[in-house]
Amino acid sequence: MSRTLAPGIQLQVVSAAEFAAAAADLVQAVVQRKPDAVVGFPTGDTPLPMYHELLRRQQLGAINLSSLRAVMLDDYLGATGDDPVSFHNWLKRTFFDPASIDGWRLWRVPTDPEGIEAACRTYEQGLAERGGVDLQLLGLGLNGHIGFNEPGTSPDSRTHVVHLTPSTTTANAAYWDEAENVPVYGVTMGIGTILEARSIGLLVNGRRKAEILRATLLGPISPEVPASFLRRAQHVQVVADEDAAALLA
Ligand code: PGA
């Protein structure tokens, strides 16, 4: 089922079984049109099956991912170098290495606390030098965040350091042995940065995201739900499974 919610925003509701393929289709479409497309990749449970599906398609020869240029959405401040907990390393292990996306094709969110503000500006320049982002993929936080743009973030924000909310650190705690080790600072593309992408794919699955997806798509456009600002963008495809879409009727 596909439905237009606002001039720039299209909702595609699929079964849970179809979710990974529908998400992978967004990447496949952009790469078929432009093999060296600039694609922004998120981490998390939501996109994981999409990465597996993309790798499966590449193994079958149905798609060639090795020419695309990858950019990152967010990471933890201080997760430098080869820190295994960084989002960079999660993406490298999960997707970039098996997809043969060489390191030089990746533009990495800065994570070194030293000189971080200048590095955030350099990150933005790097996006511009690549001609901007062709497709930015996003998960949706339980608190409505996109990237690490927590409630209260300005829609004009650029790449910046964030003090993560308890909702986010609790959600992230599953990845850590000790709750006190979960980082409390992140670095993220800003909402303004995200909205400049030529197209955006918002991926949402599971019943626990149904309330926040409803607030994102049908509630007020407000900093309290950062994802609601996506309704100001021109080309947004929301891919939701039936559980996540349960409250949209
Ligand atoms: P999740 O995270 O995919 O692990 O649910 C989404 C997000 O917080 O952006």
Side-chain angles (χ1 to χ4, degrees), residues 75-161:
D75 208 332
Y76 290 121
L77 184 68
T80 54
D82 288 329
D83 190 332
V85 301
S86 72
F87 286 179
H88 165 254
N89 277 300
W90 187 94
L91 282 166
K92 194 165 137 57
R93 281 194 306 276
T94 307
F95 181 58
F96 297 147
D97 283 353
S100 303
I101 299 169
D102 295 334
W104 65 269
R105 291 190 178 278
L106 168 65
W107 187 230
R108 188 176 166 180
V109 165
T111 53
D112 189 343
E114 179 109 19
I116 187 66
E117 286 184 8
C120 286
R121 289 192 291 274
T122 304
Y123 187 72
E124 292 272 341
Q125 279 162 16
L127 297 178
E129 282 160 15
R130 283 160 179 77
V133 177
D134 292 298
L135 170 64
Q136 178 63 54
L137 296 166
L138 302 169
L140 177 64
L142 283 170
N143 63 0
H145 74 201
I146 44 175
F148 274 147
N149 292 290
E150 302 284 38
T153 308
S154 157
D156 302 325
S157 51
R158 313 303 306 185
T159 301
H160 64 291
V161 173

Side-chain angles (χ1 to χ4, degrees), residues 183-226:
V184 292
Y185 286 95
V187 184
T188 185
M189 278 185 182
I191 297 175
T193 320
I194 290 169
L195 294 182
E196 280 174 9
R198 277 185 277 282
S199 65
I200 296 172
L202 178 69
L203 313 178
V204 194
N205 63 0
R207 184 63 181 79
R208 70 196 185 106
K209 298 278 177 76
E211 279 288 351
I212 195 64
L213 183 60
R214 189 176 57 80
T216 295
L217 298 180
L218 303 177
I221 296 179
S222 135
E224 289 320 301
V225 180

Side-chain angles (χ1 to χ4, degrees), residues 3-10 231:
R3 161 176 163 202
T4 303
L5 290 172
I9 188 156
Q10 190 79 21
R231 283 151 60 198

